[in-house]
């Protein structure tokens, strides 16, 4: 699989980290395209002590990535900006309300917005891991709009029934749910009743 992973300025840097770790070790994943917004870098610095845009995948993983290539946010000429590039899914994790709004209205004002817009027009999987609370009517309407257009709104909500003991456990369980949604069920995922 070829997957685009976009990091935006919502809280949840740990989710991005766990997501990348899972993709790197999954043999079904051939290539990962990484794009991060400016605000994502700010949140990463606040929450994970990660600073700077360079070699972001390596900073997230803690080791050199084998299949991730990073694109500048302003590079609307990157492969993932075109429908002709074969891509299986795009996941925005975490997804800010700002990026959600841009996708809902098709503004395509940076590579994240354009790549998401391409997923919608090509009828490809687009998963938005939105995080905000409480939600305004504007947020809710934008979530409705992207759902009508074919995206999956996948709110960052912990599964208390899995009884996570740490933030890592709670994040991993959430990330496993997202991965299963795009066809990458993980062998060590918690499954209720299993
Ligand atoms: C530490 C921190 C946490 C934030 N958490 C959220 C959040 O959970 N959800 C959200 O929509 N915006 C959040 N924001 C605000 C966004 O980063 C801001 O709206 C930004 O413009 C989004 O830009 P982007 O969509 O290009 O990443 C947060 C900002 C900071 C600095």
């Amino acid at each position: 699989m070829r997957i685009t992973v976009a990091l935006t300025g919502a809280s949840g840097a740990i989710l991005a980290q766990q997501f990348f770790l899972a993709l790197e070790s999954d043999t079904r994943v051939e290539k990962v395209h990484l794009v991060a917004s400016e605000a994502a870098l700010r949140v990463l610095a606040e929450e994970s002590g990660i600073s700077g845009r360079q070699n972001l995948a390596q900073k997230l993983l803690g080791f050199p990535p084998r299949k991730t290539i990073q694109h500048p946010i302003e590079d609307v000429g990157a492969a993932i900006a075109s429908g002709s590039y074969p891509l299986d899914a795009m996941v925005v994790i975490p997804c800010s309300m700002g990026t959600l709004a841009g996708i809902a209205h098709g503004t395509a004002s940076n590579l994240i917005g354009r790549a998401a817009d391409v997923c919608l027009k090509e009828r490809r999987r687009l998963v938005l891991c939105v995080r905000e609370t409480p939600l305004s009517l504007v947020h809710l309407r934008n979530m409705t709009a992207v759902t009508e257009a074919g995206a999956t709104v996948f709110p960052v909500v912990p599964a208390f029934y899995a009884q996570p003991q740490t933030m890592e456990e709670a994040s991993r369980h959430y990330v496993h749910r997202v991965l299963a949604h795009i066809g990458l069920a993980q062998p060590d995922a918690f499954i209720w009743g299993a």
Side-chain angles (χ1 to χ4, degrees):
M1 284 178 77
R2 294 175 188 196
I3 300 170
T4 294
V5 182
L7 276 52
T8 71
S11 185
I14 190 173
L15 302 172
Q17 239 159 351
Q18 293 294 336
F19 199 67
F20 268 95
L21 281 168
L23 291 180
E24 268 292 320
S25 62
D26 195 315
T27 53
R28 294 166 292 182
V29 179
E30 177 199 339
K31 184 145 285 199
V32 180
H33 295 269
L34 163 64
V35 199
S37 72
E38 276 307 315
L41 299 178
R42 171 71 195 275
V43 175
L44 278 170
E46 297 284 347
E47 296 184 351
S48 299
I50 290 174
S51 65
R53 183 177 283 283
Q54 256 190 339
N55 299 325
L56 193 52
Q58 178 159 348
K59 288 171 187 164
L60 285 165
L61 291 164
F63 54 85
R66 284 177 297 112
K67 46 184 132 173
T68 302
I69 52 171
Q70 189 179 341
H71 303 281
I73 181 77
E74 67 278 5
D75 186 9
V76 288
I80 55 170
S82 171
S84 65
Y85 180 78
L87 191 88
D88 297 290
M90 173 170 176
V91 179
V92 185
I93 181 167
C95 182
S96 73
M97 294 301 110
T99 291
L100 166 72
I103 296 170
H105 295 274
T107 53
S109 54
N110 60 33
L111 181 56
I112 295 175
R114 170 62 187 168
D117 209 40
V118 167
C119 284
L120 293 179
K121 84 182 175 76
E122 300 292 336
R123 307 296 193 266
R124 292 175 184 156
R125 275 188 189 281
L126 173 63
V127 181
L128 307 180
C129 301
V130 297
R131 204 227 74 94
E132 189 50 278
T133 195
L135 296 166
S136 73
L137 185 59
V138 172
H139 302 149
L140 293 166
R141 286 200 168 127
N142 286 337
M143 288 186 209
T144 301
V146 294
T147 303
E148 285 171 345
T152 301
V153 174
F154 215 113
V156 176
V157 177
F160 299 104
Y161 58 82
Q163 299 187 8
Q165 302 299 304
T166 62
M167 292 273 278
E168 278 76 15
E169 267 181 46
S171 306
R172 217 175 300 126
H173 182 256
Y174 172 81
V175 158
H176 285 166
R177 292 292 307 276
V178 176
L179 287 163
H181 192 75
I182 60 168
L184 290 171
Q186 301 294 296
D188 57 337
F190 173 91
I191 296 172
W192 179 258

